[in-house]
Amino acid sequence: MASNWQYHMFKSMSRLISSLPYSWVLLIGKWLGRLYYHVAGRQRKRALQHITEGMSLTVAEGEQIIKSLFTKIGQTFLEIMYTPVLTPQNFERYISLENRHYMDEALAQGHGVVILTAHIGNWEWLGAGLALTGWPITSVIKRQPNDQHTRLLNEYREMVGMEIFARGTTELVAAAKAMKKGKALGFLADQDAGRSGIFVEFFGKTASTPPGPAVFAKRFKAPVVPCFAVRKKEGGHRLLIYEPMYYQDTGNETEDIRNFTIRMTNLLENVIRTYPDEWLWFQKRWTTQPDNPVMDSLKAATATVAAGEADDRREGEQA
């Protein structure tokens, strides 16, 4: 009962925010972000530590960037609540696409597309912009700690035309089938992947990194298209689409997946260095360290994708 009350509270808040002019949403979000900066002491300190160490900045330089980051987080939160305003007819008022030909060309190859992205800018509006363009966008998502937050986010994701898969074996099989149909599958690849991730260097420190983008790229011979949303000074977002990256198969699966993961991680780092106040520096990105690194997630992800392919073959035989 309480959880349903939370959902309806967020929905009511969203309706109110969606009735405002966009300029008001940005202004209120700016002040909300400044308030968040002052009350979120642990996140602020963690972010400052990460950015000063990772980018070799002074404390004063780091604080300036982190203050800007928190301001943008406040705006992003209200923009997510503003999502019902977005339609195929008007979304380009808020989101401008750059280099859309890269996505068109990648999808035209017919192997599906792996979208590489991160918690940069308004990543929810990144997915919205891609889907509202008319591309077949799907995404593997992580559930929020609060189920009602997840419920609302998934409702809005589906509203703009995205197909959503939660992390888990059954959902990954469905995601694999979507790739087989030539759809684009998005991965947020900047979170700590735990004891079973691939350990690579990220901002000078070892980080457990999700193997999913590399595994899917290998299995489906799919191009990886990096995409990010960064904020415009005048309001709204630039949706940056980068040149596709391709998995190199030398026959050594473990090393090939690791090397491709390193390439993708290096690209993410370069984008963050270019737009440092757009990334969530307070993420616990470097928590897991490789005392005894394992590759269980690589094996599990590979097996799951293979299971999806096997299901497709059985369905084809039965048909």
Side-chain angles (χ1 to χ4, degrees):
M1 188 75 176
S3 60
N4 283 333
W5 178 85
Q6 288 181 10
Y7 168 78
H8 291 296
M9 180 188 71
F10 285 121
K11 283 284 286 187
S12 297
M13 186 188 305
S14 177
R15 290 191 192 99
L16 174 61
I17 293 167
S18 296
S19 70
L20 300 174
Y22 182 55
S23 59
W24 288 27
V25 172
L26 294 177
L27 181 60
I28 297 169
K30 182 178 180 179
W31 286 105
L32 183 64
R34 289 179 177 176
L35 175 62
Y36 183 35
Y37 176 83
H38 289 289
V39 300
R42 279 189 291 182
Q43 290 93 333
R44 185 179 68 243
K45 291 175 182 176
R46 188 186 307 126
L48 184 59
Q49 178 185 351
H50 286 167
I51 196 170
T52 52
E53 292 177 354
M55 294 187 63
S56 300
L57 300 177
T58 66
V59 171
E61 290 169 334
E63 284 180 341
Q64 184 177 2
I65 294 172
I66 298 306
K67 284 181 181 178
S68 177
L69 165 64
F70 273 78
T71 297
K72 292 180 176 181
I73 290 172
Q75 292 176 321
T76 293
F77 171 73
L78 290 193
E79 284 175 335
I80 292 171
M81 293 291 189
Y82 201 65
T83 298
V85 170
L86 302 180
T87 68
Q89 292 74 36
N90 74 3
F91 79 96
E92 289 186 333
R93 297 180 195 169
Y94 312 97
I95 306 167
S96 61
L97 274 67
E98 299 183 12
N99 297 318
R100 66 173 66 199
H101 64 283
Y102 285 141
M103 184 66 74
D104 286 331
E105 292 165 3
L107 285 167
Q109 295 176 32
H111 300 294
V113 169
V114 172
I115 297 174
L116 176 70
T117 192
H119 291 89
I120 294 172
N122 188 336
W123 56 91
E124 291 291 339
W125 275 22
L126 166 68
L130 293 172
L132 289 168
T133 299
W135 290 317
I137 303 300
T138 68
S139 182
V140 176
I141 61 99
K142 179 180 179 181
R143 294 186 182 279
Q144 301 293 312
N146 185 316
D147 285 341
Q148 299 310 307
H149 294 176
T150 303
R151 178 184 173 187
L152 184 64
L153 284 172
N154 285 346
E155 182 179 315
Y156 284 178
R157 289 160 179 160
E158 292 171 353
M159 179 187 297
V160 297
M162 295 179 64
E163 186 177 4
I164 300 300
F165 307 108
R167 290 183 184 177
T169 301
T170 303
E171 290 82 359
L172 281 178
V173 170
K177 291 182 178 181
M179 288 285 290
K180 290 278 285 184
K181 295 176 182 177
K183 297 182 179 181
L185 180 63
F187 287 89
L188 286 159
D190 62 334
Q191 293 178 305
D192 188 303
R195 295 297 313 151
S196 53
I198 299 175
F199 291 92
V200 303
E201 187 174 292
F202 184 60
F203 281 98
K205 294 186 290 186
T206 302
S208 176
T209 305
V215 170
F216 273 75
K218 175 189 184 301
R219 281 289 171 183
F220 299 102
K221 297 181 173 59
V224 174
V225 180
C227 299
F228 310 95
V230 297
R231 197 169 291 278
K232 299 178 183 178
K233 289 183 180 180
E234 66 273 19
H237 303 267
R238 296 168 58 208
L239 200 162
L240 310 177
I241 303 176
Y242 286 66
E243 186 175 359
M245 305 169 68
Y246 292 89
Y247 177 87
Q248 300 297 317
D249 191 347
T250 70
N252 186 333
E253 181 178 67
T254 299
E255 281 303 305
D256 290 345
I257 288 178
R258 174 180 172 77
N259 289 336
F260 195 40
T261 300
I262 291 172
R263 285 177 56 201
M264 290 187 285
T265 302
N266 288 342
L267 184 141
L268 290 183
E269 181 174 326
N270 289 336
V271 173
I272 293 167
R273 287 184 181 277
T274 304
Y275 306 100
D277 64 343
E278 298 274 7
W279 188 60
L280 297 188
W281 284 97
F282 52 75
Q283 290 190 91
K284 297 179 180 179
R285 182 65 184 92
W286 295 272
T287 299
T288 306
Q289 289 301 303
D291 297 329
N292 295 295
V294 292
M295 295 297 289
D296 289 347
S297 69
L298 171 57
K299 295 174 184 176
T302 303
T304 299
V305 175
E309 292 177 325
D311 286 346
D312 282 348
R313 285 195 296 272
R314 284 194 293 272
E315 289 175 5
E317 290 169 357
Q318 292 170 0

